[in-house]
Every structure is written in structure tokens, then in C-alpha cells.
Amino acid sequence: MTSPKTKTAIFISGRGSNMVALVEASKAADFPADFALVVSNDPTAAGLEWAASQGIDTLAVDHKTYGKDREAHERAIDAELRARGIEFICLAGYMRILTPWLVEQWSGKMINIHPSLLPKYKGLHTHERAIEAGDAEGGCSIHWVSPGVDDGDVIAQARVPILDGDTPDALAARVLKEEHKLYAATVRQILTKK
Ligand code: GRF
């Protein structure tokens, strides 16, 4: 019998705590994604080891090998995704700006998590910027990946209060807890609807 679950890859560049949250959620029998592959552009990403310990296939394609040819790096990854029958991609702390080529290949099949309430604070240092602006709330967003950085349609958001005396690290930790819940819930919702 073929699996009704969507064969999904998670892209990481570092510790991979969102990846862990997704994989843990997928242990529920009715979860609609099968996280079949974890991809990293950094062969030393800590999350790769955890994924392997769970019996998940891992793939490290070091972007440094490709110099400035970002598309060649992505074509190498894309070929592996196709060879493995991957149908959907969750970016989870993947710290490369994607080329329009890859975005086009996976249009409507690739989502990202970003640690701000988009459209505010695209890019880096989101928590620092939210505190500096005097915002009352921070949060995270899941969005479809489009050619602009952190620019695609927002699918879901979670909010947390910004407290007096908050540091970027304290706020990041508060938001991260919400990221873990929101990412799993959103993947469940999107892929159940498919
Ligand atoms: C998260 O804050 C995510 O929103 C951002 O990068 C961070 C990755 O953290 N895109 P982790 O590797 O999932 O722990």
C-alpha cells in the first residue's frame, strides 16, 4: 500500500529546533507529512546529526563548493529531491537566500518560518528590531516562499508580548516556543487539505 502522507524535506542550516518539533509532531499516526529528508547547506549543522539519529535521510550540499553559483548549488539539491520523490519543502532556519529558479521549481510547495510578525522585520535581527521599535508584540510567521526574501503570502502567525526590559535573546526564546507549535500545526493544516 502506498503511503497517503506527503513526502517532505526539511531544510536547515544550524541547530534545527523547528525540525525537531516537526519530526516529533509527525510521529502522530494521522500527521499528513512524512519527513523523509533533512537537507543542509552546512555539513556541520548540528541538526543533521539529530535527524540521522532518528533514522531520517540527511543530505549536506556545501554551498562553498559552488562558489558564487547559487543556482548550481540549488540544482544539485533539487536533483536529489526529485530522485527521492520529495513533494513538499519546509524551510526551517535555512540561512541561504534562494534563487528565483528554485523558488519557481517549488512554487506552492515550499513554506518558511520567519521569527517576526510579517510584513514587519524581514531579514535578520528581527527581535532586536522589534524591541528597538518599541513594539508591544513580537511573534513568528509561516509563509509561502516567493522570490522576495521573507515576502510570500502569510499562512499563519503566533504572537507573544514584548515585556519591559526584554532582551533579543529572551524574546527569541519566547517566540521560538511558539514557532515549534505553529510550524507543526500549519503543516498539518496545509497538507491535510491537499
Ligand atoms: C528560527 O527562529 C526560524 O524562525 C528562523 O531561524 C531560526 C531557526 O532556528 N528562520 P532552529 O534552527 O529551528 O532552532
Side-chain angles (χ1 to χ4, degrees):
M1 208 176 76
T2 52
S3 161
K5 294 182 185 247
T6 303
K7 223 172 169 189
T8 302
I10 305 174
F11 282 34
I12 64 168
S13 294
R15 66 187 168 189
S17 72
N18 277 289
M19 168 201 70
V20 171
L22 288 173
V23 170
E24 292 296 346
S26 74
K27 291 178 180 172
D30 66 343
F31 198 82
D34 166 22
F35 295 112
L37 180 67
V38 172
V39 177
S40 181
N41 62 301
D42 179 354
T44 68
L48 287 175
E49 221 171 288
W50 184 86
S53 79
Q54 299 290 300
I56 300 172
D57 271 0
T58 61
L59 173 70
V61 183
D62 192 346
H63 63 276
K64 293 192 192 114
T65 316
Y66 294 85
K68 288 195 172 134
D69 196 344
R70 290 160 56 221
E71 194 174 302
H73 175 242
E74 291 174 355
R75 282 183 184 271
I77 293 173
D78 185 70
E80 294 281 353
L81 300 177
R82 307 282 173 199
R84 293 159 198 254
I86 296 296
E87 303 165 282
F88 197 83
I89 298 173
C90 295
L91 304 179
Y94 187 67
M95 300 303 284
R96 302 282 299 166
I97 293 174
L98 302 179
T99 66
W101 179 80
L102 192 75
V103 172
E104 173 67 22
Q105 297 305 306
W106 291 90
S107 173
K109 296 176 191 155
M110 176 159 54
I111 60 176
N112 181 41
I113 185 156
H114 182 71
S116 79
L117 294 172
L118 290 172
K120 281 188 162 184
Y121 315 128
K122 296 173 182 173
L124 299 175
H125 309 301
T126 54
H127 305 302
E128 201 175 314
R129 288 154 69 198
I131 291 170
E132 268 170 22
D135 291 356
E137 285 185 318
C140 54
S141 307
I142 316 262
H143 65 93
W144 292 104
V145 176
S146 70
V149 176
D150 302 324
D151 201 30
D153 289 347
V154 171
I155 307 162
Q157 291 184 316
R159 295 168 181 273
V160 302
I162 297 182
L163 307 177
D164 281 350
D166 243 347
T167 62
D169 283 352
L171 177 56
R174 196 175 308 122
V175 172
L176 193 62
K177 278 193 194 159
E178 298 304 317
E179 291 187 37
H180 297 160
K181 288 186 265 179
L182 186 71
Y183 215 171
T186 304
V187 169
R188 178 185 275 281
Q189 192 193 18
I190 291 172
L191 294 181
T192 301
K193 272 195 203 152
K194 255 184 56 171

